[in-house]
Amino acid sequence: MIYANLMFLTCVSLAVGQNLVLIGGNLRNNNLPVWNMMVELAGGPGVARIGVISASNSNTTEGDRVINNFVRLYGANAIEIAVNESLANNILVANLVQKQTGIFIVEDSEDKAANFWDRFTSLVRPNDTPVRPPNDVVCYESASYKRQNLIDTLRPSGMDSLVLTAIRKVLNNGGMVAGNAAVMSKSAVILGGDSVAALLTGTLFISSPRVPFSFRKAGGLALIDTDYVFDSQLSEKGREVRLIRTLLDSNVSRGLGIDENTAVIVSNPLLQPVGKVLTEMGTTSGAFYVDVSNVPVGAGAAASYDNVDFSFFTVDDSFDFTAGKAIYPTWKKEIFGQEQFNKAVPSDDILSLALPAQWRQTAVGLINSNEMSVTSYSAPSIVPLIPGVQVVFDRTRAVGLRARLPGNSNASLVSFQGMSASIKNGDILTTDYTGTLEDGTVFDSSIGGEPFSFTLGAGEVIKGWDLGLLDMCVTERRKLTIPPSLAYGEQGTSDGVIPPNATIIFDVELLAISRP
């Protein structure tokens, strides 16, 4: 966990030496701070020699865009180095890579030969990115098999190819390496799915995602020596819970999600990494840091997370990956006692794909208000098997900083550290019921008394109820015949009302569905 371990510096200078540029996806051609920084770290205009690497047989569309930007717009020399499986261990190609002062790794590689299922699903599976990426961006999101192809080509079976070894030497020689943050870690690499799919995967709920949640536990290119999971386009696509679930399932405690058109410049990534946020002028984007080390065991299967600690860093904020400490510039001032708003504004679609940055905006609004917590919800679903989601932010132990936004004096820039989140899954069902044994003996009933309410999927009732009422609608009546394995098992109830190995029957009427 990290809280108020704050250091204030007039400026944070990058160490001379290894420099890794973690890009949050959709890097625009006109993002002068990030492009200029990459060129400077590679030696400067007219000196920088940048190799653009793709896992392909020939030049790629994204690679051509990157080269055009470096050469035409930013004054660097650049060549594309296509690396397929056979060339990944070619000594001549590795020597060419090592001669560069900078490396830019692109994901949009040539398609790898696929089996029948891959070919079939590529025709029918939808994607949460445009078929044709915008013309003015690079580092755009590619299909998951392309991401896997890139890693398998450069680091097959977790072993560095000669080309990846050469890329490390470029780093060690004081050069620059850049690419999508999501593939750079030695920990798990996220391949697909949104936050709702991630939250519900492996639970009794059915999310029917357009793209299933999946990740590669074997890790990525391992160009940073720290156990973090990285994600990109974080706020824009509401991927906070996707990152949290990946951390829990891969047994990694800390993660960093970077917003699109934003970069984290990591100095000494192979020794003692320190990252600094760099954005386009006049934007409030940044990096989302999360620590799940205090989340109770089994949270993923229950789709219910407590004690999620998270922070948000904006331009010029730095973060020591090893020590877990934030470093802030002096032009940002603590908010406490000078909050701008009386109340925080909750979101009705906190995990939204349609409305960008709902999590970020809600948390920033809370840290800049006089309230200590705010409760948001996911959008109501028309599918009964997808429950409501409640997200509670608590700023009790958080520290916030605020400044005028560089390039936009009418707006504020807000960073914070040490906020906590609680994510609860499941609608509250209110029912009337009668329970009987197979011989007709009534053992329990709410008829004539108070209706019974419970949170669906939270383990508050026997499994037969959690499963049997999943797709039920208000006013519907249903008869549940529940075997012992989903009821009271071999023991029965302690008072003897329900005997061992008893099949029990419930007549249930659903009176209401409400949010947590």
Side-chain angles (χ1 to χ4, degrees):
M1 262 190 321
I2 60 172
Y3 292 119
N5 298 316
L6 308 183
M7 296 172 59
F8 294 91
L9 304 177
T10 302
C11 65
V12 180
S13 59
L14 293 165
V16 177
Q18 308 165 357
N19 289 291
L20 179 66
V21 181
L22 303 176
I23 299 172
N26 280 0
L27 178 63
R28 297 189 181 95
N29 297 348
N30 61 358
N31 190 328
L32 298 177
V34 173
W35 284 100
N36 283 331
M37 178 62 73
M38 288 191 289
V39 173
E40 287 298 326
L41 294 175
V47 176
R49 301 186 309 277
I50 298 175
V52 180
I53 293 181
S54 60
S56 59
N57 293 320
S58 59
N59 291 4
T60 64
T61 299
E62 184 182 8
D64 289 343
R65 290 185 185 183
V66 173
I67 291 172
N68 182 65
N69 286 347
F70 276 128
V71 174
R72 186 174 64 86
L73 300 179
Y74 296 99
N77 303 296
I79 60 170
E80 185 158 5
I81 304 174
V83 182
N84 58 27
E85 288 182 343
S86 62
L87 293 176
N89 284 300
N90 185 296
I91 188 64
L92 296 178
V93 176
N95 286 340
L96 177 61
V97 170
Q98 195 173 333
K99 290 177 181 178
Q100 310 307 309
T101 62
I103 298 293
F104 193 108
I105 301 170
V106 301
E107 278 192 81
D108 193 6
S109 59
E110 180 179 282
D111 291 357
K112 192 176 182 179
N115 58 34
F116 171 79
W117 177 250
D118 288 335
R119 293 192 189 99
F120 173 73
T121 55
S122 69
L123 298 176
V124 300
R125 64 187 175 200
N127 202 315
D128 59 357
T129 56
V131 175
R132 288 188 176 183
N135 290 325
D136 62 343
V137 303
V138 301
C139 217
Y140 47 79
E141 194 161 89
S142 300
S144 62
Y145 69 90
K146 292 185 178 183
R147 179 169 289 182
Q148 292 189 84
N149 180 30
L150 173 67
I151 299 170
D152 286 340
T153 299
L154 296 181
R155 197 167 183 247
S157 302
M159 301 295 292
D160 288 1
S161 64
L162 289 180
V163 167
L164 186 56
T165 299
I167 293 173
R168 291 183 193 281
K169 289 180 179 179
V170 172
L171 274 178
N172 281 317
N173 291 337
M176 179 278 303
V177 174
N180 193 310
V183 302
M184 297 297 192
S185 173
K186 66 180 181 181
S187 299
V189 172
I190 300 173
L191 298 175
D194 57 28
S195 279
V196 173
L199 182 69
L200 302 184
T201 295
T203 70
L204 58 85
F205 298 104
I206 299 175
S207 64
S208 302
R210 294 178 305 139
V211 179
F213 167 64
S214 62
F215 65 91
R216 176 191 174 103
K217 193 168 184 177
L221 299 180
L223 290 173
I224 180 169
D225 188 24
T226 185
D227 286 320
Y228 276 69
V229 173
F230 298 127
D231 204 356
S232 54
Q233 292 180 276
L234 202 284
S235 294
E236 292 77 13
K237 295 198 173 183
R239 289 175 168 172
E240 290 85 357
V241 172
R242 181 174 94 160
L243 178 55
I244 292 166
R245 180 63 190 271
T246 305
L247 291 170
L248 292 170
D249 284 7
S250 62
N251 297 315
V252 177
S253 62
R254 296 185 290 184
L256 191 72
I258 304 172
D259 292 342
E260 70 175 42
N261 201 32
T262 298
V264 173
I265 314 298
V266 184
S267 59
N268 295 317
L270 301 177
L271 297 172
Q272 190 173 1
V274 175
K276 179 181 179 181
V277 179
L278 190 60
T279 67
E280 187 177 18
M281 289 292 290
T283 63
T284 58
S285 60
F288 168 82
Y289 167 85
V290 61
D291 185 335
V292 299
S293 57
N294 291 316
V295 176
V297 175
S304 180
Y305 311 148
D306 286 313
N307 305 321
V308 177
D309 299 308
F310 69 99
S311 305
F312 185 71
F313 305 128
T314 56
V315 64
D316 282 353
D317 295 344
S318 291
F319 180 73
D320 187 322
F321 284 85
T322 305
K325 292 184 178 180
I327 308 166
Y328 296 99
T330 56
W331 54 271
K332 295 181 180 180
K333 306 299 181 182
E334 286 198 42
I335 293 174
F336 184 74
Q338 301 183 51
E339 290 83 357
Q340 293 179 316
F341 308 106
N342 288 325
K343 291 186 174 294
V345 179
S347 171
D348 286 328
D349 196 3
I350 192 68
L351 305 182
S352 179
L353 279 171
L355 301 173
Q358 291 297 292
W359 182 296
R360 182 181 78 196
Q361 291 176 10
T362 304
V364 165
L366 175 62
I367 202 72
N368 203 15
S369 78
N370 292 321
E371 294 190 304
M372 288 293 107
S373 66
V374 63
T375 301
S376 298
Y377 299 93
S378 63
S381 173
I382 61 173
V383 182
L385 298 186
I386 302 179
V389 178
Q390 171 186 277
V391 180
V392 180
F393 294 155
D394 187 328
R395 59 164 288 197
T396 304
R397 295 179 291 174
V399 174
L401 296 101
R402 184 179 63 232
R404 288 295 179 187
L405 182 64
N408 185 352
S409 60
N410 295 321
S412 294
L413 185 68
V414 175
S415 304
F416 61 83
Q417 187 176 14
M419 194 174 289
S420 70
S422 172
I423 304 163
K424 301 294 183 184
N425 178 41
D427 294 315
I428 296 175
L429 306 190
T430 300
T431 65
D432 264 335
Y433 70 90
T434 297
T436 62
L437 302 177
E438 286 185 293
D439 63 5
T441 301
V442 176
F443 61 81
D444 195 9
S445 179
S446 67
I447 305 300
E450 289 290 327
F452 174 65
S453 297
F454 70 100
T455 302
L456 185 66
E460 297 176 0
V461 292
I462 58 175
K463 289 183 180 179
W465 269 53
D466 270 337
L467 294 171
L469 304 184
L470 266 176
D471 56 351
M472 202 169 181
C473 300
V474 175
T475 73
E476 182 182 349
R477 300 181 70 96
R478 184 171 292 183
K479 182 177 181 178
L480 304 179
T481 301
I482 304 175
S485 60
L486 298 177
Y488 295 95
E490 298 178 354
Q491 294 78 27
T493 57
S494 58
D495 58 9
V497 172
I498 298 176
N501 296 309
T503 295
I504 54 180
I505 301 165
F506 283 96
D507 287 307
V508 183
E509 180 182 4
L510 183 58
L511 304 178
I513 301 176
S514 59
R515 283 175 165 175

